[in-house]
Amino acid sequence: MTADDDDVRLCDHGPMSAGPVHDAVSATGLTKRFGGVQAVRGISLTVPAGARFGLIGQNGAGKTTFIKMMLGICRHDEGSIRVLGSDPEDVSVRRRIGYLPERLAIPPSFSALAFLDSVARYKGIAAERRRGECRDLLQLVGLEESAWDRKTGGYSKGMRQRTGLAAALVGKPDLLVLDEPTDGIDPMGRRQIRDVILDVAKGGATLFLNSHLLQETEKVCDHVAVLHQGQVVVAGALSVLQRKDSFRVAFRRPDAAALVAVANEQGFVVDDSHERDAGHHHHDADRLVTRFTGTDAGALSQALARAIGAGLVVVEVAPELVELETILMRSMAPAGGAPTTPTTTTTTTTDGARP
Amino acid sequence: MIPLSPTTIGAVARDVLKEATSSKMMLALLLTIGLFLLALTLSLDLDVVDGALAGSRIFGRAAGTAIVPVDVFLRPAFQALAWVTFYVGLLFGIVATADIAPRLLQPGRVEHLLALPIRRVELVIGTYLGVCAICAIATVFAVGGVSLVLFAKAKMVTVAPAAGAAMAFVAFAAIYGVMMAVGVLFRSAALSAGAGLLTYIMGVAVSEKNVMLMWTTNKPLRTVLEVVSAPIPNLRALADVGAGAAAGEAVALQAVLPMVGGAAAFAACGVLLAAAIVQSRDY
Ligand SMILES: Nc1ncnc2c1ncn2[C@@H]1O[C@H](COP(=O)(O)OP(=O)(O)OP(=O)(O)O)[C@@H](O)[C@H]1O
Ligand SMILES: [Mg+2]
């Protein structure tokens, strides 16, 4: 999850490779009003090329509207937006974008193969390569082969969604924009889709993911932005946003109370918040979970050495991370307020640690 | 001027055609034509001797006993056929194609299309051409069928039915321009069909402009009627050309070409209007 080095990753295919490397998406002061609704109020946002970017926010925050403006489906009122270095309405740039809309309506009389073939045709893929590529993609997204030639009108929601994802992948896009891709997909399928998405991102494509499943965003993305009432309230590399200047250290629960005191002396503050957290870490009965504040690994090692010397047994050491959920909640707390930096406030007790 | 890609326009038209061929309306249209042809085959009973008609029955009724040349005998039938193709076919076409453009613009569909390398103008033109192709296919099917029946029954080869159908096609192409503009403006199949029917009625009425103007003595209203009806293709004139050609009359090109040109210009205006609407919209 080292996001910072992703910023400079080169986009090594497409006509842009010769020129300067552009941000995949860069918006400044974007606004959009629908009648009486100000859907977007001044979004400035940059998605570095090659990033795995996640957009999160409540219903009606303006996420889909932003995506539509990004793709030229909907025009912005003020501000400017560039996608892969060009205007969103530039046809040649759209050839390099794959998009899965929020509620995709596939022509019901088309089979999955016919639908993908049509998309491939629009993307200018040569006839002899089309069929093979479409079949490979349907295989990749895990649509059962017996359904490929059946009308999509008879598909289940998840099958349609998979077909839509395959369609978004046609022509190896440089920018993959997914608006709630795992909506309607079963848990096993979600994992499969996540792997597919990650594979595509590994190939150098920029990923733009809008999902309500924070775990999904957390697992897939390296950059996030939180939209709230049409504004960006938090944006940045996930590794920075999640950073918390402490470690979670768990010891095997000692028999003697004296040992707990030793741990305390060395700076391992017993953290029993998890025990209050119903259903969470319930296996911790035989563990003494503590928090060690500081980022200095040397200090931590010394403290650990002394604790071990005194007879404590370490079972887990992990840097503490702020959960995305917490970042989201905090960012929305000051209604319409200035962007907050979650790294400076560590008052919450629900932060989970990740090994 | 925006550069347009014929390949993309062709691909849009292809998808429209592909989707229509599996729609129930299209199936109904082809079935109707098929049943009509079957009825014609079963009921037409001609005794042809050396190109002359010895006796004949249409729909069970004896049609005279005098010996006449087949083509002369069939003239009124061809004429009737051209009229039916024109007026009924046009109505059927209006109803059958009304939902095509609104469906392309339905939520979830239009976003996907617009994010593909398709210009909005190409989407509109491609859709228009696709619908015209549907209409052309239905027409060819009907004309081909009728010609085949005539050949089988009377050993007659004639392009007459094709002439009538061609005029119907021209009229449909003009009317669909309006339907398309209204269809993309309101994204409604019902309103699109309504606009098509209104144009149809007005198109028949313009030939009787004086009758139409007799409805009212209100001067401004008369002016409005005059102005509105001026560009609308004269459907009766088009139908008459078709029927005349079907009956073997020579076609006066200097009279027909302006009519066809007018219809084409009318269609182009509708398509351009539709393109302007789609171009200016947020989806
Ligand atoms: N075409 C439209 N016409 C009118 N209002 C619209 C339109 N599209 C979006 N809005 C409004 O703009 C706001 C933002 O909507 P948007 O769809 O972008 O939200 P979202 O963040 O994607 O929400 P969700 O998480 O529910 O998908 C909402 O208040 C919505 O009602
Ligand atoms: Mg949305």
Side-chain angles (χ1 to χ4, degrees), chain B residues 96-131:
Chain B
T97 57
D99 72 328
I100 292 178
R103 206 171 41 212
L104 276 184
L105 296 185
Q106 90 191 60
R109 182 103 177 252
V110 65
E111 291 96 314
H112 187 252
L113 284 170
L114 292 183
L116 288 171
I118 306 172
R119 291 179 189 86
R120 294 178 183 216
V121 182
E122 291 167 344
L123 185 63
V124 170
I125 297 178
T127 305
Y128 178 80
L129 293 180
V131 171

Short mmCIF file of all heavy atoms in Angstrom, two decimals, chain B residues 96-131:
data_model
loop_
_atom_site.label_atom_id
_atom_site.label_comp_id
_atom_site.label_asym_id
_atom_site.label_seq_id
_atom_site.Cartn_x
_atom_site.Cartn_y
_atom_site.Cartn_z
N ALA B 96 -44.55 0.98 -35.02
CA ALA B 96 -43.53 -0.03 -34.73
C ALA B 96 -42.18 0.58 -34.36
O ALA B 96 -41.39 -0.03 -33.64
CB ALA B 96 -43.37 -0.97 -35.92
N THR B 97 -41.89 1.78 -34.84
CA THR B 97 -40.55 2.32 -34.63
C THR B 97 -40.49 3.42 -33.56
O THR B 97 -39.42 3.93 -33.27
CB THR B 97 -39.99 2.90 -35.94
OG1 THR B 97 -40.91 3.90 -36.41
CG2 THR B 97 -39.81 1.83 -36.99
N ALA B 98 -41.66 3.75 -33.00
CA ALA B 98 -41.71 4.91 -32.09
C ALA B 98 -40.83 4.75 -30.87
O ALA B 98 -40.32 5.74 -30.35
CB ALA B 98 -43.15 5.17 -31.67
N ASP B 99 -40.64 3.53 -30.40
CA ASP B 99 -39.90 3.40 -29.14
C ASP B 99 -38.40 3.23 -29.32
O ASP B 99 -37.66 3.16 -28.35
CB ASP B 99 -40.47 2.23 -28.31
CG ASP B 99 -40.10 0.90 -28.93
OD1 ASP B 99 -40.00 0.84 -30.17
OD2 ASP B 99 -39.91 -0.07 -28.19
N ILE B 100 -37.93 3.19 -30.55
CA ILE B 100 -36.51 2.88 -30.76
C ILE B 100 -35.59 3.97 -30.22
O ILE B 100 -34.69 3.70 -29.42
CB ILE B 100 -36.24 2.60 -32.25
CG1 ILE B 100 -36.93 1.29 -32.64
CG2 ILE B 100 -34.74 2.52 -32.52
CD1 ILE B 100 -36.79 0.91 -34.08
N ALA B 101 -35.82 5.22 -30.63
CA ALA B 101 -34.94 6.30 -30.16
C ALA B 101 -35.07 6.54 -28.65
O ALA B 101 -34.06 6.63 -27.95
CB ALA B 101 -35.21 7.57 -30.95
N PRO B 102 -36.31 6.62 -28.12
CA PRO B 102 -36.40 6.80 -26.65
C PRO B 102 -35.72 5.67 -25.88
O PRO B 102 -35.14 5.91 -24.83
CB PRO B 102 -37.91 6.79 -26.40
CG PRO B 102 -38.52 7.25 -27.67
CD PRO B 102 -37.64 6.70 -28.75
N ARG B 103 -35.76 4.46 -26.43
CA ARG B 103 -35.14 3.34 -25.71
C ARG B 103 -33.62 3.49 -25.66
O ARG B 103 -32.98 3.15 -24.68
CB ARG B 103 -35.52 2.03 -26.37
CG ARG B 103 -35.48 0.87 -25.40
CD ARG B 103 -36.05 -0.39 -25.99
NE ARG B 103 -35.65 -0.56 -27.37
CZ ARG B 103 -36.40 -1.14 -28.29
NH1 ARG B 103 -37.58 -1.59 -27.98
NH2 ARG B 103 -35.97 -1.26 -29.53
N LEU B 104 -33.04 4.00 -26.75
CA LEU B 104 -31.59 4.20 -26.76
C LEU B 104 -31.17 5.22 -25.71
O LEU B 104 -30.06 5.19 -25.20
CB LEU B 104 -31.14 4.71 -28.12
CG LEU B 104 -30.90 3.70 -29.21
CD1 LEU B 104 -30.38 4.40 -30.44
CD2 LEU B 104 -29.92 2.65 -28.77
N LEU B 105 -32.09 6.15 -25.41
CA LEU B 105 -31.76 7.22 -24.48
C LEU B 105 -32.21 6.91 -23.07
O LEU B 105 -32.19 7.77 -22.20
CB LEU B 105 -32.41 8.54 -24.95
CG LEU B 105 -31.91 9.06 -26.30
CD1 LEU B 105 -32.54 10.40 -26.59
CD2 LEU B 105 -30.40 9.17 -26.34
N GLN B 106 -32.65 5.69 -22.83
CA GLN B 106 -33.14 5.36 -21.49
C GLN B 106 -31.97 5.39 -20.50
O GLN B 106 -30.82 5.14 -20.88
CB GLN B 106 -33.85 4.01 -21.49
CG GLN B 106 -32.94 2.84 -21.21
CD GLN B 106 -33.62 1.52 -21.49
OE1 GLN B 106 -34.04 1.25 -22.61
NE2 GLN B 106 -33.72 0.69 -20.48
N PRO B 107 -32.25 5.73 -19.23
CA PRO B 107 -31.18 5.78 -18.24
C PRO B 107 -30.46 4.44 -18.15
O PRO B 107 -31.10 3.40 -18.19
CB PRO B 107 -31.92 6.06 -16.92
CG PRO B 107 -33.23 6.61 -17.31
CD PRO B 107 -33.57 6.05 -18.66
N GLY B 108 -29.16 4.50 -18.04
CA GLY B 108 -28.38 3.27 -17.94
C GLY B 108 -27.87 2.83 -19.30
O GLY B 108 -26.86 2.15 -19.41
N ARG B 109 -28.60 3.22 -20.33
CA ARG B 109 -28.20 2.85 -21.68
C ARG B 109 -27.43 4.00 -22.32
O ARG B 109 -26.35 3.82 -22.87
CB ARG B 109 -29.48 2.56 -22.47
CG ARG B 109 -29.27 2.12 -23.87
CD ARG B 109 -29.46 0.64 -23.97
NE ARG B 109 -29.32 0.21 -25.35
CZ ARG B 109 -30.34 -0.19 -26.10
NH1 ARG B 109 -31.55 -0.23 -25.60
NH2 ARG B 109 -30.14 -0.56 -27.33
N VAL B 110 -27.99 5.19 -22.20
CA VAL B 110 -27.39 6.35 -22.86
C VAL B 110 -26.03 6.68 -22.26
O VAL B 110 -25.09 7.01 -22.97
CB VAL B 110 -28.36 7.55 -22.84
CG1 VAL B 110 -28.63 8.04 -21.44
CG2 VAL B 110 -27.82 8.69 -23.68
N GLU B 111 -25.90 6.52 -20.93
CA GLU B 111 -24.60 6.81 -20.31
C GLU B 111 -23.52 5.91 -20.92
O GLU B 111 -22.42 6.36 -21.21
CB GLU B 111 -24.64 6.52 -18.79
CG GLU B 111 -25.48 7.45 -17.97
CD GLU B 111 -26.85 6.88 -17.73
OE1 GLU B 111 -27.47 6.38 -18.71
OE2 GLU B 111 -27.33 6.93 -16.59
N HIS B 112 -23.89 4.64 -21.07
CA HIS B 112 -22.93 3.69 -21.61
C HIS B 112 -22.54 4.06 -23.04
O HIS B 112 -21.37 4.07 -23.39
CB HIS B 112 -23.53 2.29 -21.54
CG HIS B 112 -22.58 1.22 -21.92
ND1 HIS B 112 -22.68 0.54 -23.10
CD2 HIS B 112 -21.50 0.75 -21.28
CE1 HIS B 112 -21.69 -0.34 -23.17
NE2 HIS B 112 -20.96 -0.23 -22.08
N LEU B 113 -23.54 4.39 -23.84
CA LEU B 113 -23.27 4.73 -25.24
C LEU B 113 -22.42 5.99 -25.35
O LEU B 113 -21.49 6.07 -26.13
CB LEU B 113 -24.60 4.94 -25.98
CG LEU B 113 -25.35 3.67 -26.35
CD1 LEU B 113 -26.74 4.02 -26.86
CD2 LEU B 113 -24.58 2.90 -27.42
N LEU B 114 -22.76 6.99 -24.52
CA LEU B 114 -22.05 8.27 -24.64
C LEU B 114 -20.62 8.19 -24.12
O LEU B 114 -19.79 9.02 -24.49
CB LEU B 114 -22.81 9.37 -23.90
CG LEU B 114 -24.15 9.76 -24.52
CD1 LEU B 114 -24.80 10.89 -23.76
CD2 LEU B 114 -23.98 10.14 -25.98
N ALA B 115 -20.32 7.20 -23.28
CA ALA B 115 -18.95 7.06 -22.80
C ALA B 115 -18.11 6.29 -23.81
O ALA B 115 -16.89 6.24 -23.70
CB ALA B 115 -18.93 6.37 -21.45
N LEU B 116 -18.75 5.68 -24.79
CA LEU B 116 -18.02 4.97 -25.85
C LEU B 116 -17.56 6.01 -26.89
O LEU B 116 -18.03 7.14 -26.88
CB LEU B 116 -18.95 3.93 -26.51
CG LEU B 116 -19.27 2.70 -25.67
CD1 LEU B 116 -20.36 1.88 -26.34
CD2 LEU B 116 -18.03 1.86 -25.48
N PRO B 117 -16.64 5.61 -27.75
CA PRO B 117 -16.18 6.58 -28.76
C PRO B 117 -17.24 6.83 -29.83
O PRO B 117 -17.05 6.53 -31.00
CB PRO B 117 -14.94 5.92 -29.37
CG PRO B 117 -14.68 4.71 -28.57
CD PRO B 117 -15.91 4.35 -27.84
N ILE B 118 -18.38 7.36 -29.40
CA ILE B 118 -19.46 7.68 -30.32
C ILE B 118 -19.80 9.15 -30.10
O ILE B 118 -20.07 9.55 -28.97
CB ILE B 118 -20.73 6.85 -30.03
CG1 ILE B 118 -20.43 5.36 -30.03
CG2 ILE B 118 -21.82 7.17 -31.04
CD1 ILE B 118 -21.60 4.51 -29.57
N ARG B 119 -19.80 9.94 -31.17
CA ARG B 119 -20.26 11.33 -31.03
C ARG B 119 -21.77 11.31 -30.97
O ARG B 119 -22.42 10.46 -31.56
CB ARG B 119 -19.78 12.16 -32.22
CG ARG B 119 -18.29 12.39 -32.23
CD ARG B 119 -17.88 13.21 -33.45
NE ARG B 119 -16.43 13.23 -33.56
CZ ARG B 119 -15.71 12.29 -34.18
NH1 ARG B 119 -16.32 11.28 -34.75
NH2 ARG B 119 -14.40 12.38 -34.22
N ARG B 120 -22.30 12.29 -30.29
CA ARG B 120 -23.76 12.33 -30.13
C ARG B 120 -24.46 12.42 -31.48
O ARG B 120 -25.49 11.79 -31.71
CB ARG B 120 -24.14 13.49 -29.23
CG ARG B 120 -23.64 13.28 -27.81
CD ARG B 120 -23.95 14.44 -26.92
NE ARG B 120 -23.37 14.22 -25.59
CZ ARG B 120 -23.94 14.61 -24.46
NH1 ARG B 120 -25.08 15.24 -24.48
NH2 ARG B 120 -23.36 14.36 -23.30
N VAL B 121 -23.88 13.21 -32.38
CA VAL B 121 -24.47 13.35 -33.72
C VAL B 121 -24.46 12.00 -34.43
O VAL B 121 -25.43 11.63 -35.11
CB VAL B 121 -23.68 14.39 -34.54
CG1 VAL B 121 -24.32 14.58 -35.89
CG2 VAL B 121 -23.61 15.71 -33.79
N GLU B 122 -23.38 11.25 -34.25
CA GLU B 122 -23.29 9.94 -34.89
C GLU B 122 -24.36 8.99 -34.35
O GLU B 122 -24.95 8.20 -35.09
CB GLU B 122 -21.90 9.33 -34.66
CG GLU B 122 -20.80 10.06 -35.40
CD GLU B 122 -19.40 9.69 -34.94
OE1 GLU B 122 -19.24 9.10 -33.86
OE2 GLU B 122 -18.45 10.01 -35.67
N LEU B 123 -24.62 9.11 -33.06
CA LEU B 123 -25.65 8.28 -32.44
C LEU B 123 -27.01 8.56 -33.07
O LEU B 123 -27.77 7.64 -33.41
CB LEU B 123 -25.68 8.56 -30.93
CG LEU B 123 -26.61 7.70 -30.10
CD1 LEU B 123 -26.19 6.25 -30.14
CD2 LEU B 123 -26.65 8.19 -28.65
N VAL B 124 -27.30 9.85 -33.25
CA VAL B 124 -28.59 10.24 -33.82
C VAL B 124 -28.70 9.80 -35.27
O VAL B 124 -29.68 9.16 -35.68
CB VAL B 124 -28.80 11.77 -33.67
CG1 VAL B 124 -30.01 12.22 -34.46
CG2 VAL B 124 -28.94 12.14 -32.21
N ILE B 125 -27.68 10.10 -36.06
CA ILE B 125 -27.74 9.76 -37.48
C ILE B 125 -27.78 8.23 -37.65
O ILE B 125 -28.56 7.70 -38.45
CB ILE B 125 -26.53 10.35 -38.25
CG1 ILE B 125 -26.60 11.88 -38.18
CG2 ILE B 125 -26.52 9.89 -39.70
CD1 ILE B 125 -25.44 12.59 -38.85
N GLY B 126 -26.96 7.53 -36.89
CA GLY B 126 -26.93 6.08 -36.97
C GLY B 126 -28.29 5.47 -36.64
O GLY B 126 -28.75 4.53 -37.29
N THR B 127 -28.93 6.02 -35.60
CA THR B 127 -30.24 5.52 -35.22
C THR B 127 -31.26 5.76 -36.33
O THR B 127 -32.03 4.88 -36.69
CB THR B 127 -30.71 6.22 -33.92
OG1 THR B 127 -29.72 6.04 -32.92
CG2 THR B 127 -32.02 5.63 -33.44
N TYR B 128 -31.19 6.96 -36.89
CA TYR B 128 -32.11 7.29 -37.98
C TYR B 128 -31.93 6.31 -39.14
O TYR B 128 -32.89 5.74 -39.65
CB TYR B 128 -31.89 8.74 -38.45
CG TYR B 128 -32.77 9.12 -39.60
CD1 TYR B 128 -34.10 9.48 -39.39
CD2 TYR B 128 -32.29 9.05 -40.90
CE1 TYR B 128 -34.92 9.79 -40.45
CE2 TYR B 128 -33.10 9.36 -41.97
CZ TYR B 128 -34.42 9.73 -41.74
OH TYR B 128 -35.24 10.02 -42.79
N LEU B 129 -30.67 6.11 -39.52
CA LEU B 129 -30.41 5.21 -40.65
C LEU B 129 -30.81 3.77 -40.32
O LEU B 129 -31.31 3.05 -41.18
CB LEU B 129 -28.93 5.29 -41.04
CG LEU B 129 -28.49 6.64 -41.63
CD1 LEU B 129 -27.02 6.61 -41.99
CD2 LEU B 129 -29.33 7.01 -42.84
N GLY B 130 -30.59 3.38 -39.08
CA GLY B 130 -30.98 2.03 -38.68
C GLY B 130 -32.48 1.82 -38.81
O GLY B 130 -32.94 0.78 -39.32
N VAL B 131 -33.25 2.81 -38.39
CA VAL B 131 -34.71 2.71 -38.48
C VAL B 131 -35.13 2.68 -39.95
O VAL B 131 -36.01 1.91 -40.34
CB VAL B 131 -35.38 3.87 -37.71
CG1 VAL B 131 -36.87 3.90 -37.99
CG2 VAL B 131 -35.11 3.73 -36.22
#
